[in-house]
Amino acid sequence: MNPKTPVAPAQILDGKALAAKVRQALGDRVQQIQGPGVRPPGLAVVMVGDNPASAVYVRNKENACAKVGIASFGQTLPATATQAEVAALIDALNRDDRVDGILVQLPLPPHLDAVALIQSIDPAKDADGLHPLNLGKLLRGEPGLRSCTPAGVMALLAEYGLEGNGKEAVVVGRSMLVGKPLALMLLEANATVTVAHSRTPDLGAVIRRADIVVAAVGVPQLITAEMVKPGAIVVDVGINRVLLPEGGSALVGDVDFASVAAVAGWITPVPGGVGPMTVAMLLQNTVWSYGQRLGSGSLW
């Protein structure tokens, strides 16, 4: 898609539509790779406990797998599972030839060491792109599995012709899950990148100079219209559940969508923006690993 002159209100960056397009391409690719006697790609999502939000996320991932032709090998352990028990499950999945991708659903119960468990995943099956080896490949600009949410952001920008080359980008948030890997990806796309965070003085002044703003901090509607340069590209990674005055709740991002959409050139909605792309990149990572393991080479 070629970039267009922005009009008011901002043009929507439709992650839901692009995710459907990615799933279609992946499904076609899986059919091309598979032949008589060739197994389908496999993804194992490891969940510990009965967190309702996590259960919904896992179910959504399994449904998405079915649409692409990926076999699900989901495993749920009780909240009382020990570090050794979860590690043993991951080790079994590492050795299971039917499994190409492994994801540990976060958050984990507080008694478990999530970092150690992620590091125990075979890097070649690291569907979430969070293993230190894969993060190191990203840092070095080498091919490999990429963190799903940052990769989804980059795919969404590329779909709309919004390349980073020569642009100034501000990433608000410095997590290992989103902020840091996304900053590296934007640098790789030749953007000039600033990473802002809770200790950044005058956050509004930093954001106002950006051509690309990515909010990934987990604070509802933190970024408002007066903080955004007219015509800027605004990507909202945040997803926060807030209580409504009239009762009930709603999902909102880290960006005040209503006000910022009147100023920005392009903006992602919440929901329907980055969220679907995260799942699409999880599937893409799994199929990429599948192709590598079968000797089919890179899929793109």
Side-chain angles (χ1 to χ4, degrees):
M1 186 178 297
N2 293 324
K4 300 176 181 178
T5 302
V7 294
Q11 181 176 335
I12 298 297
L13 301 176
D14 191 343
K16 187 175 181 180
L18 178 55
K21 184 177 175 180
V22 170
R23 287 196 303 270
Q24 181 63 53
L26 290 173
D28 292 345
R29 184 57 177 155
V30 169
Q31 288 187 344
Q32 291 172 13
I33 295 175
Q34 279 188 273
V38 179
R39 65 171 180 83
L43 173 66
V45 179
V46 176
M47 180 173 161
V48 183
D50 56 359
N51 182 299
S54 292
V56 171
Y57 293 145
V58 170
R59 188 161 57 248
N60 289 342
K61 290 166 184 173
E62 290 176 344
N63 290 339
C65 282
K67 293 178 181 178
V68 172
I70 296 174
S72 294
F73 297 94
Q75 300 278 346
T76 301
L77 296 176
T80 55
T82 65
Q83 185 84 9
E85 288 171 334
V86 182
L89 173 57
I90 292 172
D91 181 61
L93 294 171
N94 283 339
R95 291 181 283 105
D96 191 334
D97 287 337
R98 302 170 300 167
V99 175
D100 303 288
I102 302 170
L103 178 147
V104 175
Q105 182 66 43
L106 303 176
L108 291 172
H111 69 279
L112 296 176
D113 184 345
V115 172
L117 291 172
I118 289 170
Q119 291 179 350
S120 72
I121 296 172
D122 179 349
K125 295 188 177 186
D126 172 31
D128 223 7
L130 296 178
H131 191 281
L133 179 62
N134 289 319
L135 289 170
K137 287 183 176 181
L138 170 61
L139 180 63
R140 292 175 59 87
E142 298 173 357
L145 295 164
R146 298 293 191 241
S147 303
C148 295
T149 297
V153 170
M154 298 304 294
L156 193 53
L157 294 176
E159 173 70 5
Y160 284 82
L162 304 173
E163 308 297 344
N165 189 33
K167 292 185 173 67
E168 184 160 2
V170 171
V171 178
V172 187
R174 53 179 169 177
S175 72
M176 192 60 69
L177 189 64
V178 180
K180 289 178 180 176
L182 181 55
L184 290 171
M185 291 180 192
L186 286 165
L187 279 172
E188 195 171 40
N190 297 317
T192 299
V193 183
T194 298
V195 178
H197 45 80
S198 60
R199 302 294 179 89
T200 300
D202 200 352
L203 180 62
V206 174
I207 294 174
R208 268 192 298 275
R209 67 174 188 248
D211 305 301
I212 302 173
V213 180
V214 182
V217 70
V219 177
Q221 300 175 321
L222 172 70
I223 296 175
T224 54
E226 63 272 11
M227 302 168 74
V228 175
K229 177 198 291 188
I233 302 157
V234 179
V235 179
D236 193 349
V237 178
I239 183 162
N240 312 282
R241 186 169 293 279
V242 298
L243 298 177
L244 300 174
E246 63 272 20
S249 63
L251 291 177
V252 301
D254 293 349
V255 174
D256 181 10
F257 183 88
S259 70
V260 173
V263 177
W266 296 267
I267 192 169
T268 58
V270 175
V274 176
M277 290 304 302
T278 298
V279 177
M281 295 300 103
L282 171 66
L283 303 180
Q284 180 166 295
N285 277 346
T286 302
V287 175
W288 190 88
S289 293
Y290 173 68
Q292 299 297 306
R293 285 163 57 78
L294 292 186
S296 299
S298 177
L299 297 177
W300 285 273

